[in-house]
Amino acid sequence: MGWIEGLNDAMDYIERSLEGDLDVAHAARFAACTEGQFRRMFSYVAGIGLGEYVRRRRISCAALDLSRGERVVDVAVRYGYGSPTAFTRAFREALGVSPSEAKRPGARLSLFPRLSFSLTVTGTEPLSWRIVPWGGMRLVGVSLPCGSPGEEPLAQMGDEGREALRRFWGGASCAGSIEGLLVLSDGSGPGESSGLTCRRAGSRATG
């Protein structure tokens, strides 16, 4: 079974569990992963956290039940709310109306639909492209030694390295280097790109 099918089986289980206790670890087993992996994968693919999705789905189903004339207290208990007050607060926060307003005939509700996953293949059509010559570019910036060869790069330095970097930019600002770079990058210069040049100790860099 593919991972898309596993995700959809997990969604089927979640949908069946909206009215009761939802075991996320059990849902994750349909997708052949751990609970933590399932939560991260769901958030990445769906663009919303799993807990928020379940909350919205429960409120949406509750709204449909209310529109059919069911009592607020019964619906609140069915979807896991300990009191009508808590249910009303969550309902209004999600849909912008109270449960009693949702019960009125003709009430307009914005409900959150059930999610399902599918695989879309792209790239089968030819892509038109061409190579365009581009003129030379001069880079202008300030340089900072990043340590001897073999050491970790600047982006992975610890607190001590970040403090050294802060002092470096402070000194560049006091010296007027940053203001000079900004002048070149505001469109008045000859098209240079400005920034920080990180170089290894012992190598040559032009600022």
Side-chain angles (χ1 to χ4, degrees):
M1 180 177 63
W3 71 279
I4 291 291
E5 291 82 359
L7 278 175
N8 283 322
D9 287 344
M11 300 309 296
D12 289 339
Y13 165 75
I14 290 173
E15 198 70 13
R16 294 192 302 268
S17 304
L18 292 177
E19 296 185 10
D21 294 330
L22 173 60
D23 186 348
V24 178
H26 183 72
R29 286 195 287 271
F30 287 102
C33 59
T34 66
E35 178 179 345
Q37 291 170 335
F38 179 70
R39 289 182 180 274
R40 290 191 295 272
M41 180 169 56
F42 183 91
S43 298
Y44 177 79
V45 175
I48 182 175
L50 179 61
E52 178 64 14
Y53 169 77
V54 171
R55 186 185 70 85
R56 293 186 184 183
R57 281 297 298 143
R58 282 175 167 160
I59 291 294
S60 296
C61 291
L64 292 175
D65 292 347
L66 291 171
S67 69
R68 290 190 283 263
E70 297 194 36
R71 296 195 309 164
V72 173
V73 63
D74 294 335
V75 174
V77 171
R78 179 180 304 143
Y79 292 101
Y81 290 88
S83 69
T85 301
F87 175 67
T88 298
R89 186 185 309 112
F91 195 96
R92 183 182 293 277
E93 184 178 297
L95 302 184
V97 297
S98 67
S100 59
E101 291 172 324
K103 288 172 62 67
R104 295 173 183 172
R108 297 179 64 87
L109 302 172
S110 298
L111 304 183
F112 193 79
R114 178 195 186 278
L115 289 183
S116 62
F117 300 94
S118 62
L119 179 64
T120 301
V121 179
T122 61
T124 57
E125 298 296 327
L127 177 65
S128 299
W129 62 279
R130 62 187 177 128
I131 297 177
V132 179
W134 193 261
M137 179 175 63
R138 184 162 64 97
L139 300 179
V140 179
V142 289
S143 63
L144 172 67
C146 296
S148 60
E151 292 184 355
E152 293 296 321
L154 181 64
Q156 299 180 11
M157 286 197 304
D159 294 339
E160 182 178 350
R162 286 192 291 271
E163 176 61 23
L165 182 60
R166 187 192 65 78
R167 291 195 301 269
F168 168 80
W169 281 118
S173 178
C174 292
S177 301
I178 294 179
E179 289 75 8
L181 293 175
L182 292 176
V183 169
L184 294 176
S185 63
D186 67 358
S188 61
E192 295 94 340
S193 294
S194 59
L196 168 69
T197 300
C198 178
R199 60 182 176 86
R200 295 289 186 184
S203 63
R204 297 182 59 189
T206 301

